[in-house]
Amino acid sequence: TPRHATPSIPSRIQPARKPGNVLEEARARLHVSSVPESLPCREQEFQDIYNFVESKIMDGTGGCMYISGVPGTGKTATVHEVIRSLQHAAEQEEIPPFHFIEINGMKMTDPHQAYVQILQKLTDQKATPDHAAALLEKRFSTPAPKKETTVLLVDELDLLWTRKQNVMYNIFDWPTRRHARLVVLTIANTMDLPERIMINRVASRLGLTRMSFQPYTFKQLQQIITSRLNRVKAFEEDALQLVSRKVAALSGDARRCLDICRRATEICEHAGQKGAIGLVGMSHVMEALDEMFSSSYVTAIRCASLQEQLFLRAVIAEFRRLGLEEATFQQVFVQHQALCRVEGLQPVSVSESLAVCQRLGACRLLLLEPSRLDLLLRVRLNLSQDDVLYALKAD
Amino acid sequence: MRRIKNPPVSRYHPTNTPSPPPPSVTPAQNTHSFGSSNSARERKWRHNSEVTLLPAARQSARISLVCVDVFCGSGFRRMLKMPGAALQCSGYPEDKLQTLTERLTCREVQTGTLLSLMGEPEQYSYPSVFVYGHRATGKSHVLLTLLTHLQLPHAAVSCVECVSAGLMFEQVLSALFGPDAASLLPRCPSLSDFVRIYRQACVQHPAQQTRYIVVEKAELLRDMEANLLPALLRLQELVDDNVTVFLLSEIVWEKFRPNTGCFEPLLLHFPDYTKAELLHILSRDSHPSHTPEFYSSYINILLGVFYSVCRDLRELRHLAALNFSKFCEPLEKGEARESDTHKLWRNMEPHLKKAMQSVYLREVSSVQWEQQQVDEKEATSLRGLSAHTHVELPYYSKFLLIAAYLASYNPARTDRRFFLKHHGKMKKTNFLKKHEKTSNHLLGPKPFPLDRLLAIFYSVVDSRVAPTASVFSQISSLVTLQLLTQVGHDDQLDSPKYKCAVSLDFILAISRTVSFDIVRYLYDFL
């Protein structure tokens, strides 16, 4: 095998199909991985990050910035957009050229691999973590004329946590060196991450340049979808509003919103006759919302066998009797047999009842202890009693 | 869950036609209908999704399999009923089946069920079968005799020997495909390595016959990696080969089932031998110099004594071999003839009763027992193992042990009254809690702190003892001798707690040697 092979994946035999109708085109545009032309509703955040990085590049200094926000609020997309426009500006020679590298905590097997990746992206060198740390230390602390500014993006910062926190410490310490010219942008989900998990010397080096991304409101979500669709007429206005209102009420996650819209187009395509494909209406969106948001526990209980339903009823009866949310299998079994007699069924044996119990445990309707305890294993419900009663009573 | 019930022996239908599938079996459920297709050879088991077919052997085997859906609604328990008979199964030579029937006495029903499950050699069998029953009910004997005698490819592994899964994989591969396949395994093989190499070997040696893997002492599988047992249960699906796994265990399947669920094996129970069956089996190994009737009358006497305490075939066979020479003694002396059953019984019974107390409990080893019979000494004149409780201890160790015993079995509130000179008057009952009033010797020893042990020790020893290092080292050496046990290993230096782990007889003997009347100080014996 060659020593410095560039990895590649086999290419397609045929090129990817162009979207055939309106719905397919809408689906391609609504895909989470398709890069939009512009990022609506994040203009303020974009400007803040842009100004921060630009000023550091212009001055030739370094600094850190911490960006937080719940998933799907456009953190990584905005930073990438900033870097793209900065690179564009550098090409136009409006600002000095800079070097951009990116690492992701989730893509590393071990936090110390961060050194290796940073070094490899900076200089194409391969080294062990310790050696890479030493090399990076040397690089950032010695003065070198004509050194370019480096912009380092650290995604999923919380996964770089180690017991001594030396990886985080180093990453935040390098920008403070005089000759480093390093700008570090860090992204994580929780706002109070520096205060919660970092020791003082790390948190103080991270500094107070913080930015938090708020979840999208329903108007913003609607605007995002409309801008993505970009005059492809595939959705009714009301349907879009319903999706964005529902998602905004729950999480404000733009990815979730896009997923639901794509599912709704699929449902619409499936429902419409060939040739005549209409717009995605309220009913399709409702169906998609049901699919994505409804809990499967209730369906599972409704489709369970008679004995399984009886067992769940026995569990609830036993909880009522004890006044606790936990019972041993032995206690539930007595109730189960009594219920069988009431229902006019053949009383179950212990092993049958235990099999029922463990089947319910395997699909996580119940929480169970290891099966080798048999009669003494403790049984708990994994969902509320009201949900179970609702599911059992529905038919 | 499917469970195979042993069929009643009396019902025998010599039919060649397959029984129609019962109406209760519906394809939508997770059901398996047996014996309804002739082209089952080509088919594989498709679990959980569609109706699966057992090999066609059922029809020609004169075994009608009836599925009875006992469990309403959920299709849980499925019984496999078939009339018991001499072993007959197509695909195997008749004479071999005949010798098998002779060898596996009193297990015809189980053998028949196993044979019908296995089907013809080239047919697909059920992926996994769980065989359970008490110790010495012939589980591995029946299965291994069946497999070796019919010369089917099989691998027998015992989980006691295979301390790691890697050893088991190696044994299975080398037994099924030869040592070459086993040598391909990496040093610490994972399950996926095993499956990969099994599939490779499968391509080189495609299955002509069903391969069998017999796992003995399967209860130890639960303590190995969590994915091993579920993988073995559906190995047929994983390696895509005609392979069946038999799991042998003494405990029931309910204690095996992983919490995440798994493929449910067929359950096959080996019931205990009845007294008549034990008599039949034990009478088979008769002595050549005596008639079979004589030996079976001996076995009858032996069972009369031992059957109430022991039904283990191996144990009984061992006892029968040990004591037979004593039974023959009157014949050799000329005092009785073979037909004098009553005389022989009178000679034998007290001897067997003694054997129950000594050699059966392993107080006296088998060699010693035989030696005794040869020397014609009085049985149990030797001291057994449990009589050797005398231990030589240093003087202060004895008092430490006595103090520990007192601390363990007396409530702490009574210490004032036993060990203080001017304690005032106290009655026995009115100042103790209820649980302290019940006998402490029934509840077992209680933990006590080191301070209390030393306080009792100083009050028990008459002379003045300095708390030197030797006293403390004697306490810790009593712990290493397992005469004391340390409770809760959280704190070794600061206020450790101990329990006394010796019996009353032992401590009485010890206190006699130092002429200390321990019974006077025990609260239970007041």
Side-chain angles (χ1 to χ4, degrees):
Chain A
T1 50
R3 264 195 85 187
H4 296 291
T6 44
S8 66
I9 54 168
S11 56
R12 292 164 180 259
I13 298 169
Q14 290 174 332
R17 219 153 48 85
K18 288 273 186 302
N21 56 24
V22 184
L23 287 177
E24 275 177 28
E25 176 153 16
R27 205 147 53 224
R29 285 172 160 277
L30 287 174
H31 200 279
V32 183
S33 67
S34 73
V35 185
E37 294 90 358
S38 66
L39 282 172
C41 318
R42 287 289 179 232
E43 289 82 11
Q44 185 57 49
E45 284 85 354
F46 176 86
Q47 204 54 51
D48 288 353
I49 301 174
Y50 188 91
N51 291 344
F52 176 79
V53 180
E54 192 193 25
S55 66
K56 298 291 178 201
I57 293 175
M58 300 285 268
D59 299 350
T61 53
C64 293
M65 184 175 201
Y66 177 70
I67 301 167
S68 63
V70 293
T73 46
K75 303 179 293 291
T76 313
T78 311
V79 173
H80 279 149
E81 191 64 28
V82 167
I83 297 297
R84 251 199 311 279
S85 25
L86 281 172
Q87 273 165 345
H88 184 71
E91 276 171 28
Q92 306 288 322
E93 298 189 353
E94 290 164 11
I95 56 168
F98 67 97
H99 203 99
F100 172 66
I101 50 180
E102 181 185 1
I103 58 170
N104 190 330
M106 194 94 81
K107 289 182 188 167
M108 281 178 274
T109 51
D110 181 78
H112 295 281
Q113 287 293 319
Y115 298 132
V116 180
Q117 291 200 7
I118 294 173
L119 185 74
Q120 195 178 10
K121 283 174 180 166
L122 272 179
T123 62
D124 271 344
Q125 267 179 292
K126 275 188 183 173
T128 58
D130 287 342
H131 189 209
L135 286 177
L136 286 172
E137 178 75 34
K138 197 173 156 203
R139 182 188 166 94
F140 287 125
S141 49
T142 53
K146 288 197 209 163
K147 193 193 239 178
E148 285 182 354
T149 301
T150 311
V151 179
L152 172 64
L153 168 63
V154 184
D155 216 340
E156 314 282 356
L157 178 72
D158 39 351
L159 291 172
L160 291 185
W161 189 88
T162 52
R163 182 190 288 275
K164 289 167 90 176
Q165 307 199 359
N166 47 359
V167 179
M168 281 186 182
Y169 177 81
N170 276 333
I171 286 177
F172 299 140
D173 190 42
W174 292 328
T176 60
R177 308 281 167 82
R178 244 180 82 201
H179 307 289
R181 307 189 75 164
L182 179 66
V183 182
V184 179
L185 302 173
T186 55
I187 299 180
N189 284 342
T190 45
M191 196 155 66
D192 57 345
L193 187 80
E195 282 72 36
R196 257 192 319 128
I197 67 167
M198 291 183 198
I199 51 179
N200 284 337
R201 63 192 167 104
V202 178
S204 71
R205 275 175 176 75
L206 174 58
L208 293 170
T209 320
R210 311 270 174 92
M211 167 173 291
S212 75
F213 279 58
Q214 297 304 318
Y216 291 112
T217 60
F218 84 93
K219 275 193 182 140
Q220 288 173 329
L221 286 175
Q222 204 172 350
Q223 198 183 339
I224 288 171
I225 302 172
T226 337
S227 83
R228 282 229 176 196
L229 284 174
N230 196 16
R231 272 172 298 189
V232 173
K233 187 65 185 156
F235 277 83
E236 286 174 16
E237 278 303 310
D238 291 348
L240 277 188
Q241 193 167 352
L242 178 68
V243 174
S244 29
R245 274 185 189 271
K246 283 268 186 192
V247 173
L250 216 71
S251 61
D253 187 343
R255 285 179 231 158
R256 202 63 189 279
C257 199
L258 295 173
D259 286 342
I260 292 169
C261 289
R262 271 185 298 129
R263 179 68 194 137
T265 59
E266 281 170 6
I267 292 169
C268 174
E269 197 168 9
H270 201 70
Q273 286 82 26
K274 282 199 177 131
I277 294 170
L279 292 181
V280 180
M282 289 290 264
S283 59
H284 306 129
V285 169
M286 283 300 282
E287 200 174 324
L289 281 170
D290 266 3
E291 268 180 28
M292 306 275 262
F293 284 135
S294 69
S295 132
S296 51
Y297 284 122
V298 172
T299 327
I301 293 176
R302 276 187 198 155
C303 300
S305 70
L306 182 64
Q307 289 292 347
E308 285 167 349
Q309 290 183 345
L310 270 188
F311 191 86
L312 283 174
R313 280 169 58 187
V315 167
I316 287 182
E318 189 58 31
F319 285 177
R320 292 244 167 103
R321 193 181 71 82
L322 292 170
L324 294 172
E325 289 284 292
E326 187 176 275
T328 62
F329 170 75
Q330 196 171 10
Q331 292 166 324
V332 180
F333 173 67
V334 173
Q335 294 277 357
H336 189 189
Q337 277 207 320
L339 273 177
C340 278
R341 287 206 193 88
V342 169
E343 296 284 322
L345 298 171
Q346 189 90 18
V348 287
S349 69
V350 181
S351 43
E352 282 162 348
S353 184
L354 197 56
V356 169
C357 176
Q358 283 166 347
R359 255 170 70 98
L360 290 172
C363 50
R364 307 301 288 167
L365 288 170
L366 296 180
L367 298 176
L368 300 178
E369 285 185 300
S371 58
R372 62 175 73 187
L373 295 170
D374 55 9
L375 280 180
L376 297 177
L377 75 85
R378 280 177 293 183
V379 179
R380 282 180 146 187
L381 278 177
N382 197 19
L383 62 169
S384 76
Q385 293 191 21
D386 296 335
D387 288 356
V388 179
L389 286 177
Y390 167 72
L392 289 175
K393 220 165 255 164
D395 44 55
Chain B
M1 181 175 60
R2 278 151 245 100
R3 206 176 275 262
I4 303 164
K5 257 276 178 81
N6 295 308
V9 185
S10 55
R11 281 180 55 213
Y12 176 61
H13 300 294
T15 52
N16 259 327
T17 52
S19 67
S24 64
V25 176
T26 53
Q29 287 173 332
N30 172 19
T31 57
H32 303 281
S33 84
F34 294 105
S36 57
S37 168
N38 281 319
S39 60
R41 279 175 73 156
E42 301 301 318
R43 296 186 196 234
K44 293 182 182 180
W45 287 88
R46 279 293 197 75
H47 318 119
N48 302 331
S49 56
E50 61 183 62
V51 175
T52 46
L53 304 154
L54 212 66
R58 306 296 163 280
Q59 302 132 36
S60 47
R62 295 197 182 177
I63 294 163
S64 64
L65 299 164
V66 183
C67 291
V68 187
D69 202 352
V70 182
F71 218 67
C72 11
S74 50
F76 262 103
R77 174 176 281 215
R78 197 153 308 282
M79 287 180 176
L80 238 153
K81 283 194 178 168
M82 57 168 192
L87 297 175
Q88 276 175 324
C89 191
S90 69
Y92 301 105
E94 282 287 326
D95 53 330
K96 279 195 175 175
L97 290 178
Q98 197 57 46
T99 48
L100 263 182
T101 324
E102 282 159 19
R103 275 201 205 176
L104 304 172
T105 43
C106 306
R107 280 289 174 246
E108 291 87 5
V109 178
Q110 283 75 26
T111 318
T113 317
L114 277 174
L115 260 182
S116 64
L117 275 176
M118 285 152 62
E120 284 178 31
E122 64 273 16
Q123 288 168 335
Y124 268 81
S125 175
Y126 200 78
S128 47
V129 182
F130 183 81
V131 182
Y132 66 107
H134 280 158
R135 136 196 307 228
T137 45
K139 300 182 292 292
S140 36
H141 175 66
V142 166
L143 204 54
L144 292 180
T145 316
L146 209 61
L147 292 176
T148 42
H149 196 71
L150 296 177
Q151 289 170 341
L152 298 167
H154 68 276
V157 291
S158 166
C159 288
V160 178
E161 294 167 20
C162 303
V163 287
S164 72
L167 287 172
M168 177 187 287
F169 298 153
E170 198 178 320
Q171 284 192 22
V172 168
L173 283 179
S174 65
L176 291 183
F177 302 106
D180 292 351
S183 65
L184 289 175
L185 279 172
R187 193 194 274 163
C188 289
S190 65
L191 186 69
S192 58
D193 285 327
F194 171 66
V195 170
R196 177 171 55 83
I197 288 165
Y198 192 106
R199 296 185 91 141
Q200 274 177 17
C202 245
V203 174
Q204 287 163 11
H205 314 272
Q208 309 295 329
Q209 296 171 317
T210 313
R211 298 191 175 105
Y212 296 95
I213 299 175
V214 181
V215 183
E216 290 177 63
K217 296 259 187 288
E219 58 267 18
L220 293 170
L221 279 179
R222 303 176 300 171
D223 303 325
M224 293 169 149
E225 291 107 282
N227 59 2
L228 187 61
L229 178 63
L232 279 180
L233 289 173
R234 55 196 318 159
L235 192 67
Q236 190 175 94
E237 202 178 329
L238 281 175
V239 298
D240 200 16
D241 180 39
N242 187 359
V243 64
T244 293
V245 178
F246 283 101
L247 300 175
L248 271 53
S249 178
E250 285 175 27
I251 62 174
V252 290
W253 169 243
E254 279 74 38
K255 289 190 165 238
F256 276 78
R257 201 178 284 127
N259 260 1
T260 44
C262 61
F263 178 80
E264 293 283 323
L266 284 178
L267 305 184
L268 180 61
H269 182 227
F270 273 55
D272 283 349
Y273 292 113
T274 60
K275 196 170 180 180
E277 283 172 340
L278 280 176
L279 183 62
H280 181 70
I281 295 170
L282 286 172
S283 309
R284 275 158 58 99
D285 35 36
S286 63
H287 206 266
S289 56
H290 299 280
T291 59
E293 290 77 28
F294 177 69
Y295 193 78
S296 94
S297 73
Y298 164 64
I299 293 297
N300 207 355
I301 294 171
L302 184 90
L303 282 179
V305 175
F306 276 102
Y307 186 70
S308 56
V309 292
C310 173
R311 283 151 206 217
D312 188 338
L313 179 63
R314 264 182 277 176
E315 195 76 31
L316 287 171
R317 180 173 275 162
H318 177 64
L319 285 168
L322 271 187
N323 295 310
F324 186 59
S325 60
K326 176 80 179 172
F327 187 68
C328 299
E329 230 170 45
L331 290 185
E332 283 157 14
K333 286 181 185 164
E335 290 169 358
R337 277 172 293 123
E338 284 198 0
S339 53
D340 296 343
T341 326
H342 187 68
K343 213 170 206 172
L344 289 171
W345 178 77
R346 264 217 321 234
N347 178 41
M348 199 58 203
E349 214 206 358
H351 183 75
L352 286 179
K353 288 224 164 120
K354 256 174 219 146
M356 195 192 297
Q357 279 149 23
S358 51
V359 68
Y360 176 60
L361 297 176
R362 305 287 190 273
E363 290 267 311
V364 174
S365 76
S366 309
V367 179
Q368 281 175 327
W369 185 255
E370 278 181 334
Q371 193 62 40
Q372 245 173 43
Q373 285 177 352
V374 172
D375 299 348
E376 307 212 353
K377 266 198 277 179
E378 179 59 27
T380 66
S381 59
L382 271 118
R383 284 200 311 164
L385 264 184
S386 66
H388 291 281
T389 51
H390 175 66
V391 176
E392 208 52 63
L393 283 176
Y395 185 70
Y396 287 132
S397 287
K398 286 177 181 170
F399 272 107
L400 280 172
L401 202 58
I402 289 169
Y405 192 85
L406 290 172
S408 251
Y409 287 96
N410 277 352
R413 291 158 167 242
T414 58
D415 283 356
R416 267 165 63 84
R417 136 193 221 166
F418 284 125
F419 304 114
L420 229 60
K421 285 213 171 107
H422 308 290
H423 55 80
K425 282 189 179 175
M426 271 190 235
K427 282 187 181 172
K428 187 187 171 183
T429 48
N430 56 6
F431 72 106
L432 285 173
K433 288 178 190 163
K434 195 187 170 199
H435 68 92
E436 286 172 339
K437 284 182 199 162
T438 53
S439 169
N440 291 303
H441 278 84
L442 287 179
L443 297 173
K446 290 186 185 56
F448 53 86
L450 181 64
D451 305 346
R452 190 168 163 229
L453 172 71
L454 287 177
I456 296 178
F457 173 67
Y458 286 125
S459 105
V460 166
V461 176
D462 287 332
S463 56
R464 284 181 61 85
V465 192
T468 53
S470 98
V471 170
F472 288 100
S473 73
Q474 283 184 35
I475 294 175
S476 60
S477 59
L478 283 176
V479 172
T480 37
L481 288 172
Q482 299 187 340
L483 298 170
L484 298 185
T485 48
Q486 199 168 2
V487 188
H489 296 274
D490 45 355
D491 204 345
Q492 293 281 337
L493 287 178
D494 189 27
S495 72
K497 286 192 159 191
Y498 298 97
K499 263 186 186 181
C500 187
V502 297
S503 65
L504 180 63
D505 293 335
F506 186 90
I507 206 75
L508 281 176
I510 293 259
S511 53
R512 218 173 293 126
T513 58
V514 291
S515 57
F516 177 80
D517 189 7
I518 195 169
V519 181
R520 267 185 54 214
Y521 288 89
L522 278 170
Y523 181 71
D524 284 348
F525 299 106
L526 275 187

